[in-house]
Amino acid sequence: MNFNTWFNELQTRTALNGGAGLVAFGQLLARLDNPQNPYQIIHVAGTNGKGTVCTLLARVLAAAGEKAGLFVSPHLILPTERIQLDSVEITPDDFINAVEKVLAHAQEPLNFFELITAAALVYFAEKEVSHVVLETGLGGRKDPTNVCMPVLSIITSIGLDHTQLLGNTLDQIAAEKAGIIKPGVPVLCGELLPAAARVVEETAREKNAPLEYVCVEKIPGNARAQNIGLVQRAAKMLGIPDDIICRGLKTVQLPGRFEIFKCAGKTIILDGAHNPPAVENLLARWQKTEFAGQRAAVLCGFMQDKDYPHMLRMLSACFKMGVVTAVDSPRAAKFFSSSRRVGVRDIEKFSLGPTIDILPPTWQFVHDVSAALARAQEQADVVLVTGSFYLVGAVRKWLI
């Protein structure tokens, strides 16, 4: 069995379990000799930007000569992208070995994310890293990464996402994200809306955790600047000099974040904007680029648990030409072709379940991703691929 087949089977099997929960997960780590304890952890939560902040900070730590581990999700192409050491992905054999060690000590059914979180912590302990930048999977309070005691907590942003699981108001979601705040541990935050800020500040006071905001000038599309500001401040708090911070940041090209390719005379831009706040930032950035004045189309696909009708409205207001496709995931939003075409503003009049048969005028649905990309390229000189990171990863695999 090859690694990808093994990984897919692992995902399918563990997805059937609700998970051990934080108490039992902590007990599992104890049986594994607490692999989360030997190194310094920087714990990162947020609605958007946490993967970027984690990757950038890990690169800066490596530039400073630290042996830095990185745990992020999801992956774009290969599962090994989720666990990295000094910017080098874990090998398939090491991945399998770490998972098997966890399973050998498991006395409870683990869900997929619990299993790979534990495997990552075991791997980092074996490699004797000095620091680990640890991204939450979902929320923060109940996330398996939250059993760790960090030296620094970071909350990048708080917006409406995963509302079925985290709550449908900003203060409810903020309470979940703020759940990573630990007693006495410093907290860095990006700019937050007042409702979210109140919850974070109250939690920080209760935990006696020093809280600092890192805010950049409020310009549409400046999410990258906000993320870089958080990384710079975090690195300074970890004792890294300015010149090394700058050098580390210059080494990074983030895959799937406004990544530009040339293909058959066309420009393909990949950006995994997977929720409405991310799409808003993407479109603001788009309007400031040379591509905004060119003949452009968008190719998109979404997860079912996302507010994809809202994202469709946002994208169709900017792009006359668009193609929607099916993401290869059991969680994907289901679309199908229909002769029925209605104005994008009329979408709100319909009750949208997991299947949607209405698209903006001039937009099309193409089920196969490769055919969908070809259709978008026929329509335009520039194609923006966005929405789910699973879609971005599938297209990127063909381009590299």
Side-chain angles (χ1 to χ4, degrees):
M1 181 183 295
N2 66 35
F3 176 71
N4 283 334
T5 302
W6 171 85
F7 186 82
N8 290 336
E9 191 276 333
L10 186 73
Q11 281 185 294
T12 301
R13 177 163 56 88
T14 55
L16 299 176
N17 301 322
L22 282 183
V23 173
F25 186 71
Q27 293 169 346
L28 166 65
L29 293 184
R31 293 193 295 274
L32 289 162
D33 295 327
N34 288 309
Q36 75 278 16
N37 288 345
Y39 37 77
Q40 294 190 0
I41 290 175
I42 300 91
H43 197 195
V44 184
T47 301
N48 289 306
K50 60 182 183 293
T52 296
V53 166
C54 286
T55 302
L56 292 176
L57 185 54
R59 297 290 177 87
V60 170
L61 284 164
E66 302 292 347
K67 196 172 184 180
L70 172 66
F71 179 64
V72 291
S73 60
H75 61 274
L76 288 179
I77 298 175
L78 297 174
T80 50
E81 298 166 21
R82 294 171 180 253
I83 303 173
Q84 300 180 30
L85 176 55
D86 291 341
S87 306
V88 178
E89 298 172 16
I90 189 173
T91 66
D93 285 345
D94 282 344
F95 201 131
I96 292 171
N97 288 338
V99 167
E100 288 180 343
K101 287 176 183 176
V102 173
L103 290 174
H105 289 80
Q107 298 177 3
E108 53 282 298
L110 302 172
N111 64 31
F112 169 72
F113 195 75
E114 288 171 335
L115 179 55
I116 62 169
T117 298
L121 298 173
V122 166
Y123 174 74
F124 294 139
E126 289 178 347
K127 296 298 182 180
E128 298 182 337
V129 303
S130 60
H131 294 74
V132 169
V133 186
L134 198 64
E135 179 185 358
T136 59
L138 178 65
R141 182 174 63 90
K142 298 179 181 179
D143 194 79
T145 61
N146 206 29
V147 301
C148 300
M149 179 58 69
V151 297
L152 176 64
S153 303
I154 302 176
I155 300 174
T156 59
S157 64
I158 296 176
L160 294 176
D161 193 21
H162 294 295
T163 53
Q164 300 94 328
L165 298 173
L166 302 181
N168 55 16
T169 65
L170 271 182
D171 56 342
Q172 289 174 327
I173 294 176
E176 297 299 320
K177 306 291 186 187
I180 71 166
I181 297 175
K182 301 295 194 304
V185 176
V187 185
L188 282 182
C189 278
E191 188 168 10
L192 304 178
L193 292 172
R198 283 192 294 271
V199 174
V200 171
E201 291 165 7
E202 180 180 349
T203 305
R205 282 194 299 271
E206 291 173 353
K207 300 290 182 66
N208 197 29
L211 172 63
E212 180 179 336
Y213 287 102
V214 177
C215 300
V216 299
E217 185 180 356
K218 293 191 69 174
I219 301 171
N222 69 339
R224 178 173 171 79
Q226 175 74 84
N227 294 334
I228 290 174
L230 282 166
V231 172
Q232 291 173 324
R233 181 59 186 142
K236 288 284 286 185
M237 294 174 71
L238 294 169
I240 301 175
D242 289 337
D243 60 330
I244 294 179
I245 295 173
C246 292
R247 187 167 75 237
L249 289 173
K250 288 179 180 178
T251 67
V252 183
Q253 168 59 60
L254 293 172
R257 273 84 167 184
F258 217 88
E259 189 178 14
I260 301 174
F261 293 88
K262 294 290 185 179
C263 178
K266 302 295 179 77
T267 300
I268 312 293
I269 302 170
L270 308 182
D271 194 289
H274 62 293
N275 55 40
V279 171
E280 181 179 8
N281 282 320
L282 169 60
L283 294 180
R285 181 177 183 180
W286 179 270
Q287 294 299 336
K288 295 187 288 186
T289 68
E290 61 185 288
F291 307 116
Q294 299 181 24
R295 194 168 67 103
V298 64
L299 169 63
C300 55
F302 310 99
M303 293 292 106
Q304 182 178 327
D305 59 350
K306 302 291 185 177
D307 188 0
Y308 56 84
H310 187 188
M311 289 186 276
L312 277 174
R313 291 193 293 271
M314 298 168 74
L315 290 167
S316 63
C318 185
F319 293 89
K320 181 180 179 181
M321 295 176 289
V323 180
V324 181
T325 192
V327 179
D328 184 16
S329 169
R331 293 174 43 232
K334 304 299 191 298
F335 296 79
F336 58 85
S337 298
S338 173
S339 59
R340 184 183 192 183
R341 301 285 175 181
V342 299
V344 66
R345 294 178 182 175
D346 295 328
I347 290 179
E348 293 180 278
K349 299 177 183 178
F350 294 86
S351 175
L352 301 179
T355 301
I356 179 174
D357 67 344
I358 50 177
L359 293 175
T362 74
W363 281 43
Q364 304 172 58
F365 171 81
V366 179
H367 184 273
D368 180 75
V369 173
S370 60
L373 178 61
R375 185 71 56 82
Q377 289 177 288
E378 291 171 1
Q379 295 180 343
D381 301 317
V382 181
V383 177
L384 172 64
V385 182
T386 190
S388 169
F389 277 105
Y390 289 97
L391 172 61
V392 169
V395 174
R396 191 176 192 272
K397 185 176 181 179
W398 298 324
L399 295 175
I400 60 176

